[in-house]
Amino acid sequence: MAETVSVTELTPADLSETPLLRDHMAPPEARDARYEANYDRTTLWYDAFWREDRGEVTVIAPLLLNLARPLSQARILLDGRPVRLRRRRFQRHEIWRLPAPAHPERLRVEGQGWAVEASVGRARPERFAGRNVLLTISRNNDLQWVRDYALFHRKTQGAEAILFIDNGSDAYGPGDIARVIGETGLAAHVISAPVPYGPVIRGISNPHRGKFFRSAMMNLARLRYLYGARAVLNSDIDELIWSVGRSVFDMAAAHPIGFAPFRGRWRVPGPDAEPPLRHVDHFVLPEKNMPARSNTRSRPDGLRAGSTGMCTGSSGCRSSTASCGGIPVTGTARRFRPDGNPTGG
């Protein structure tokens, strides 16, 4: 029986119609047009969803910065009922928890002279439960590359499903992504997330600190969709991971802490390759050895979700090698406990 592909859209709370804005993280001299287009000043939270097993609403948000104070002074309402918000801060994102014995329809925050609200969804782990899952974030990647990426990992690694987060592609729509993935035989869910990804900030010690979106989406995936998965491989569309012996999913599932990293190297197109290029055209090692960053794969009860890159790789045990097609490699396969929390250190 053919697998189904579903599509949903992120339901963020936006501050554009209020007097509030997130403070800049870049010095004035670094606020060029690219920074202004990519830095998120108006999203209060990305998504809210109800977990029946926990009896609570989980909210995934960007780092609040100066917005923390007005939030702390605001009323938090679920379907008009006041609730207490528990807030946990991380380096680039936040996770809020609100008690909710039944599924509420709306989350509303009312402050002094401002208010925002958005719908509350449900956790949807069923499609991914017990399965080997690909997790990727993409924007405007060639649809043929999307298809090749999904099909390659189904055939070589035993991937059974994919959670695809589309960051506002304007070259095609979420339905086009669903159609292409549907041709690969994978169960799939596509999330349309047209919010700012975040800029590279010049002139500060951590130029990526304003990239709230990626770490937030990894945790949205973990806590809303993938906490029942067998193993999760996080990588980019231009990464093809291959292994000798066991699959990367099996390595993650067997690892004591559910986390198994691997390394990668660049690959470039052959001398006779002509556009449009595909993964298969990238098979030449560059003359200068350029090791890529570590990739990982994990069980959903293992360490938290991971990173990015392009990879055609060979993977051994914990320390393995991977080969990339034009971009440095990183990725993560992990396992999680049924409550969505990590095991191990």
Side-chain angles (χ1 to χ4, degrees):
M1 186 176 70
E3 295 283 1
T4 58
V5 181
S6 55
V7 178
T8 58
E9 187 165 345
L10 215 62
T11 56
D14 186 77
L15 295 167
S16 297
E17 302 300 319
T18 78
L20 301 179
L21 286 174
R22 179 175 286 102
D23 280 350
H24 284 289
M25 299 185 81
E29 63 274 13
R31 297 175 197 167
D32 56 16
R34 178 170 290 187
Y35 169 87
E36 295 287 355
N38 287 283
Y39 183 67
D40 194 338
R41 301 195 70 191
T42 63
T43 301
L44 184 60
W45 70 83
Y46 289 120
D47 207 28
F49 53 93
W50 181 60
R51 286 277 300 260
E52 183 177 10
D53 58 326
R54 292 181 170 182
E56 67 181 23
V57 169
T58 300
V59 181
I60 308 297
L63 197 63
L64 287 186
L65 301 178
N66 61 299
L67 300 176
R69 184 170 183 179
L71 179 70
S72 69
Q73 298 170 343
R75 295 178 71 217
I76 314 298
L77 306 168
L78 289 175
D79 288 345
R81 178 177 61 87
V83 293
R84 183 179 178 182
L85 180 149
R86 291 180 293 130
R87 175 174 163 240
R88 189 174 181 188
R89 296 173 292 278
F90 298 89
Q91 185 177 16
R92 298 177 192 166
H93 73 282
E94 303 194 4
I95 298 175
W96 311 342
R97 302 187 189 280
L98 301 83
H103 176 218
E105 296 295 328
R106 307 288 293 179
L107 168 60
R108 180 175 175 86
V109 178
E110 296 180 348
Q112 187 69 34
W114 66 278
V116 293
E117 67 177 288
S119 62
V120 178
R122 292 176 178 264
R124 296 295 186 190
E126 300 86 3
R127 179 161 301 185
F128 305 103
R131 285 176 151 171
N132 296 330
V133 183
L134 299 170
L135 169 62
T136 190
I137 295 175
S138 173
R139 186 177 191 276
N140 284 339
N141 278 293
D142 188 289
L143 289 176
Q144 185 63 60
W145 280 59
V146 171
R147 181 184 182 278
D148 290 350
Y149 167 87
L151 192 60
F152 178 90
H153 289 105
R154 180 178 73 81
K155 290 184 174 182
T156 67
Q157 297 297 323
E160 299 166 298
I162 180 170
L163 179 59
F164 192 106
I165 301 172
D166 181 64
N167 185 213
S169 292
D170 53 18
Y172 44 75
D176 298 309
I177 300 169
R179 173 182 54 78
V180 167
I181 294 176
E183 298 170 357
T184 68
L186 294 177
H189 184 70
V190 178
I191 303 172
S192 176
V195 296
Y197 185 87
V200 175
I201 304 174
R202 297 180 292 107
I204 63 174
S205 59
N206 180 0
H208 300 287
R209 62 186 300 220
K211 291 182 176 181
F212 311 131
F213 177 78
R214 187 175 194 87
S215 61
M217 291 303 101
M218 293 296 100
N219 283 278
L220 173 69
R222 177 175 67 92
L223 292 170
R224 185 171 183 180
Y225 297 99
L226 302 182
Y227 55 88
R230 176 179 182 261
V232 178
L233 173 63
N234 166 225
S235 58
D236 282 353
I237 294 300
D238 54 355
E239 297 175 349
L240 300 182
I241 291 84
W242 61 276
S243 57
V244 178
R246 296 182 298 173
S247 74
V248 291
F249 295 111
D250 290 344
M251 293 176 201
H255 197 276
I257 64 169
F259 180 86
F262 54 91
R263 295 187 300 270
R265 291 189 300 170
W266 296 68
R267 298 277 187 177
V268 297
D272 299 325
E274 296 183 359
L277 299 176
R278 294 171 64 175
H279 296 84
V280 70
D281 296 306
H282 297 74
F283 62 90
V284 178
L285 283 171
E287 293 182 9
K288 183 179 179 181
N289 185 22
M290 295 180 290
R293 295 166 292 175
S294 293
N295 259 24
T296 52
R297 54 255 178 233
S298 65
R299 297 192 309 255
D301 61 346
L303 304 176
R304 286 188 174 86
S307 350
T308 49
M310 143 89 185
C311 188
T312 52
S314 69
S315 187
C317 247
R318 274 207 306 182
S319 180
S320 51
T321 59
S323 313
C324 289
I327 288 188
V329 186
T330 81
T332 315
R334 307 187 170 187
R335 61 167 193 246
F336 301 97
R337 292 199 302 255
D339 62 2
N341 289 323
T343 59

